[in-house]
Amino acid sequence: MKQANTHKIKLSSAALAPSCLFTCGDDESWQDKQYIANLGLKGASLAKMTSLGHPVPIGFVLTTDFCRQFNAAGNKLPKGTEKLVKYGLAKLEQRLGRKFGGTEKPLALSIRSGAPVHLAGLMPAILNLGLNDETCAALATETGDARFALDCYRRFIESYSIAVLNVGEDLFEEIFEEVRSESDLNSISEFESNDYQVIIDRYKACIIEETGDDFPQDVFVQLMGGISAAFESWNGYRAKSQRRINQISDDIGLALTVQGMVYGNRNKSSATGIIQSRNPNTGEARVSGSYLTYAQGPEFIGQYRAPKPLTNEDKARDGRVASLEERMPDMFKQLVKTACELEKAFGDMLDIEFTIEDDKLFILEAVRPKKTDQAELMVAVDLAKSGIISKQDALMRVDPKSIEQLLHPSLDLEAKKTKIARGLPASPGAASGEIVFNSEEAEERSALGKDVILVKIETSPEDVYGIHAAQGILTVRGGSTSHAAVAARIMARPCVTGASSVKVDTENETLYASGHTLKKGDMITIDGTSGEIYTGKVATIEANFSSEFYTLMQWADEVRQLKIRVNTETPELALKAQKMGAEGIGLCRTEHMFFEKGRIVSMREMILAEDEVGRKRALDKLLPMQRKDFVDLFTAMSGYPVTIRLLDPPLHEFLPKSDQDIMETANAIGIDHKAILRRLESYAETNPMLGHRGCRLAITHPEIYDMQVQAIFEATILAEQATGDPTMPEIMIPFVSTKAELVFLKQRIEDIADNVANIHGARPAFKFGTMIELPRAALRAEELAELSDFFSFGSNDLTQTTYGISRDDSARFLNSYARRGIIPHDPFVSIDKDGVGELVKIAVERGKRGNSNLTIGVCGEHGGDPYSIHFYGDLGLNYVSCAPFRVPVARLAAAQNAIHSQNEI
Amino acid sequence: MKQANTHKIKLSSAALAPSCLFTCGDDESWQDKQYIANLGLKGASLAKMTSLGHPVPIGFVLTTDFCRQFNAAGNKLPKGTEKLVKYGLAKLEQRLGRKFGGTEKPLALSIRSGAPVHLAGLMPAILNLGLNDETCAALATETGDARFALDCYRRFIESYSIAVLNVGEDLFEEIFEEVRSESDLNSISEFESNDYQVIIDRYKACIIEETGDDFPQDVFVQLMGGISAAFESWNGYRAKSQRRINQISDDIGLALTVQGMVYGNRNKSSATGIIQSRNPNTGEARVSGSYLTYAQGPEFIGQYRAPKPLTNEDKARDGRVASLEERMPDMFKQLVKTACELEKAFGDMLDIEFTIEDDKLFILEAVRPKKTDQAELMVAVDLAKSGIISKQDALMRVDPKSIEQLLHPSLDLEAKKTKIARGLPASPGAASGEIVFNSEEAEERSALGKDVILVKIETSPEDVYGIHAAQGILTVRGGSTSHAAVAARIMARPCVTGASSVKVDTENETLYASGHTLKKGDMITIDGTSGEIYTGKVATIEANFSSEFYTLMQWADEVRQLKIRVNTETPELALKAQKMGAEGIGLCRTEHMFFEKGRIVSMREMILAEDEVGRKRALDKLLPMQRKDFVDLFTAMSGYPVTIRLLDPPLHEFLPKSDQDIMETANAIGIDHKAILRRLESYAETNPMLGHRGCRLAITHPEIYDMQVQAIFEATILAEQATGDPTMPEIMIPFVSTKAELVFLKQRIEDIADNVANIHGARPAFKFGTMIELPRAALRAEELAELSDFFSFGSNDLTQTTYGISRDDSARFLNSYARRGIIPHDPFVSIDKDGVGELVKIAVERGKRGNSNLTIGVCGEHGGDPYSIHFYGDLGLNYVSCAPFRVPVARLAAAQNAIHSQNEI
């Protein structure tokens, strides 16, 4: 089987790039990347397989340099190409004992184009090149099979005319169909040599009519025409637009493989087919595939003949026809063995194209197929376990973003469904439920055991309990980092945002989309992974936490440097996140604790109080609730750090907005509803994101943070008593812009700690930290660090202020920006390295200067984004914190970052 | 008169700081600053006057070092003080031929404390120190005037007991009043020696009762007690709080002056008084003042006797009593001569305290009085013109902030008025008018010739024509850089913002304040200089553009480096600003041009159009209007650069809000009003400041900027034809965050210029610039500069985003911040050097790196703020641009910056 004794072609002119006859095994300095850049994916894989001794039809490659020179010269082949090609041909003739254009044992060729990356739109393969009236007759004589020779000839005329002469495929199809019906033939196997001769004659007439010229009989003209057409196809419309869409450089060029033909249509002991080394949907390590006898090239997926099952297992599923395993058991065994060896050699599962010519196996191509996310993970882990690839390779191979989707239920692809709209995929997973249009209703119906989907124009912090109660969330406005999106991810609810084609009439509790009118209580299904929205309940498939997932995560933990924390405030999600690998809480948003039904009244009472005394009275009611929150959270996270952000949003977010809610609140607190209206008016803000929020609340109303800190300290002591483990609360101050804010607040916190120490006999241990979420805080990081044990970057606010873009309002223009290529990606999703990133760098540098023991993390949206995790990891941050279901994503991304850094060193 | 032959005291101990007997003229190396730091303002002025040969009572100074050592040692006088004091006393005794505590020709002293800066709360002067029962008798014998001696003694007991023994002033007043009524005396001149003896006896009894001790008869004990009490007063409550308030270091200490007494109460040829070298209210060069005969120290302003007029001119105003000019013409002449000489010596107008003892003049103190802003300017210019100070000194002496107020009408201080509230002084000047509650009404009433004051909760860009029509603006919300404030300053309208005690009921067109209820049409007066609000019409005094003002401005122009431009979009204000020295327009806000009545409909039609075609149709209507705007502006500013900012605010700001306005707009455009409501809803933004505005509008709707640029270019050609002068428009792109925005927009602008060139045969010359108003723009300045001819800092937005503070929402917490000292000043008014300032520095550095010919200016609020102008000037900016009435402010501040820089070199 070994054909590995061919030689490299010596170039006759320095202007010509290297070309090679398979193999290149005699020159070890050619590394895979260089192979691929020169030979294209296809050529490189053939060269590699040849060098390993696998049965590849002999041939040579015109490298990508020919293509670049062809393009540079305005579609002219470089000087000397003909000479080189002739040299290659001579070698082939010599090796195969055949003659190109010869009237005895004629040589036919296949030519195939392929770039260094997967790219559609290039010239399709041309098979049987070198046949003409004479050589066809010679082939018939040689094989004693005129039907076979004519079948090859008509195939050649078809493929060549379409690819090189620009004659339409439909014309050939018409002629073929004509002949079929004239001769009353049903299947291609009924065609006789006579029928093929008729077809060939009519093809030739058609070509004269279309082009004004005869079909070329000179085989060298045929070959050079094919080569030129292949390189021309590089600048064809389809190839160019494919490159533009996929941001592929025009410069990489295509390479052209010229091989001697092997005939899958030679006789009944010949066939062609594909074998998949594993299942690309599931990753299962089981070969499968299909084949056809009496067939060539891509025909096995053609229209006239149904492909047959490769294995007996495939057959059991597919039907009655014979499998290759049954029909040619030796060939099948050899094929499976080859697939297994090639997997090892290529380090990945493969789709392998093969041809059997008269009981002899040839491999025509081996490519890494597109896999599902789950298959990618399964294969990577299995290959690493088998020692075929390293653990690091396995880690690098899985896209961290795909991990999140594996952990959520997905729509059953087989299920019948009616799509009514598409929005942004904001939080993955699929969910069905009755439509509700406000959070209260969501809570009420959910309490009755109903599944609900919360549908809103947009959500605000007061919706958190509604989001929690719902199975899924759908909003008309907002991007993938809008409030709804962020809250849904934190609470692990599927969410679709920015579904602007959906009209929501909140008053009449009706939703309109694509001509459908849905009322409250009607069932819908949303797919937060794709952003699609369907009517009714669509069947879903449960998430699959495979053992391979846990294995990969364990490997990730072995190499990563970054710690991973979770953003959550509920003990349930904290425990869930721990199971997914969270090593602490990086962001507990205390405001979410105030929206719960029993508490919002006290919170509102506090906000509506006329003076500090009234506020304190209301805060006294909130204190035991906050304390219990923290006791539960600390107990759940026993042994892990818990970062608590003190109250952040502007107070008006807690006030009632609807008339009914205002009346109810007025009654509950026992004040005039007009007082609420007045307060609403006086608290209104033009730009609440830049308003009276964060630590600014504590400068004007210190008693609020005082209560929260008191609750944290008392809970610390209680949790330690309950668990016996140390509790380490980390108190984090939001929206800091100047050192003086920290000085003021830290002193108050220390005073409260002293107070608690006096009462309880023990001073609670705690850390004090600063959120870096304003440009000024980043710039003044050195002096802020002097007072801080830790920093945590709030990437959302830092991006909002650095870019001057309100996250909630950005959808209206960010699309235009993306379309025009003005902003390469949504900076709320992935860090803007050049702008926001520089401030982050500045803050890290200056922060370390101010306090060399400073712990630094990130708790904004970037904390769960692989691209951003690389950036923060490179800066040497200590941890990232993200939504619960992004914890595994972050673990993998952190591992990839660590591997990348090691490799750089 | 010359007493300049005394010697410095040689210090007996190195631990003691230098002390001196006036004069220090023999040691020229003592510069003024060192004088003042050691001797205090008072001591230094006395030393200086002595050295110049003026009649200062001889004495010595315990320097500020004594005070520092006294404090450091815990209120103990430094070792050797007694020895030093005795040495000084011996010198005094020798020079005056008197003996301290002597029973013949006894020496009495005055001791006065004074710091190196003006500071209230220190120990008041103690006069006649050294009198006791014996020396009093000796003084009576020596002068033959027991009444005089006893008067001195009782004055001494009073002042000493209050300052040193802590006996209450009220007790002495009670005793004095007792005796007066017992003896049935009306005025102090009726007191006989007997009466004084009774008073003294009762004082002594009172002191025993209060302190348990006799009044000290040992004169050295008296002196050392007085010295200790003076130094102790440095850490008294009042002095300390004064230092804290004025941010004065505790370390500067006070100096104590010990002088031989001169007696203004000696006889009828004795007096004490004050002469002012000029009028501190107007700056007029005319002496005035007051005096009393038979008086000592501060008595001439005391409660028992009305001070008398110094000059005949004063007398003509003040009444019947004799002036010093009449009564002691020689003394008066000598005094005026002295005042004139001292003005030259001190280089400023002075308040001079003097005493005449038996027809002999003594100068007790000379201080620079507090002047009105106008007086400061008049005096500085006059002194410089007289060659007494340099032009640079004159420029440095006037506070630029005071300039603005001189140019506006002010309230007549004498007018009767009823204050109903106070807000923030947002734009200076006083105005009266009828209240209106919306901009349309303001325009309508103003068109009828009425003066109106526009009263609103807050204003938005659609109010600009209302603000323009009104005489003044009052808002309930907003800080001194809110929209109302900024717009009012640009249009030179008085404005009070943030008047939170005023309740405005817009619906019922009623205003409530301090129990007053005012309806639409009622008259009010606002004072934008003080922030005060009055009912009714209060008389005002017109602004005074004095010739001194023009002179000072001319001097400023001679030295300043920074160019000054104006922020305006109207030809009228542009011309006005030119008269005030503007050298171009630094910011023409084109959006203001769209709010005018005829235009807003077309603007709305553009915004409400369903597609680009509809938008273009509406823009075609706006084009000729914009073109005319620019032709007028370019013509007015012929020869000067005009920077035009393309449309900046979000489009929803132009849409109608009230029901009536919505209906009218719907009718005018011919669409359903529901379409407007829908557009309003879909355009709503949570944080419009960070929303779809600035160049983002032009990325999504390029046709808007296209129209504006077309109008600019056509106007350029028309204006050049009209004026014959070159027009140099500078097109400025707002709210840029990334280079790709500029690339996109610049290309369109160049294309339009090419188009115009094709049509008109000449390509309009223009400059292309970038507003730097986002942190990201500052960070990316290098690549932005590569495409820019100029940068202009938008300080408002840059501060908003760097600090994360919405200007319009900041009032609610910035007060708390100021009160707690967390933010030292409003960063919208004066640049935050540490945060925003660093970004400005970065942008300047990187901008110059990207384009070494880059012109850089600032056009935000900081452009008119002296503190900020210094900062920007130091960074080498080319120009600042500000509101029209701030142009002179900026000219002066720029001059001061230039002088400061020169001096640093």
Side-chain angles (χ1 to χ4, degrees), chain A residues 119 237 239-248 250:
Chain A
L119 185 69
Y237 175 77
K240 272 173 103 166
S241 64
Q242 283 288 318
R243 290 202 295 276
R244 200 166 41 241
I245 290 166
N246 297 299
Q247 297 181 300
I248 294 167
D250 286 342

Side-chain angles (χ1 to χ4, degrees), chain A residues 307-348:
Chain A
K308 296 174 183 167
L310 197 76
T311 67
N312 290 339
E313 235 179 319
D314 288 335
K315 184 192 170 192
R317 253 201 324 275
D318 289 3
R320 296 156 297 120
V321 292
S323 69
L324 189 75
E325 190 173 359
E326 284 173 325
R327 193 157 163 175
M328 305 184 185
D330 286 349
M331 286 292 102
F332 178 75
K333 266 183 212 153
Q334 196 184 330
L335 193 56
V336 171
K337 182 168 168 274
T338 303
C340 187
E341 285 169 9
L342 288 179
E343 256 204 358
K344 278 186 190 143
F346 284 84
D348 201 351

Side-chain angles (χ1 to χ4, degrees), chain B residues 376-403:
Chain B
E376 190 78 76
L377 187 151
M378 298 284 283
V379 171
V381 172
D382 192 53
L383 290 176
K385 276 184 177 168
S386 315
I388 294 173
I389 62 173
S390 69
K391 286 179 186 177
Q392 291 205 349
D393 285 343
L395 286 166
M396 293 306 280
R397 206 170 270 185
V398 178
D399 180 356
K401 278 187 193 158
S402 70
I403 292 287

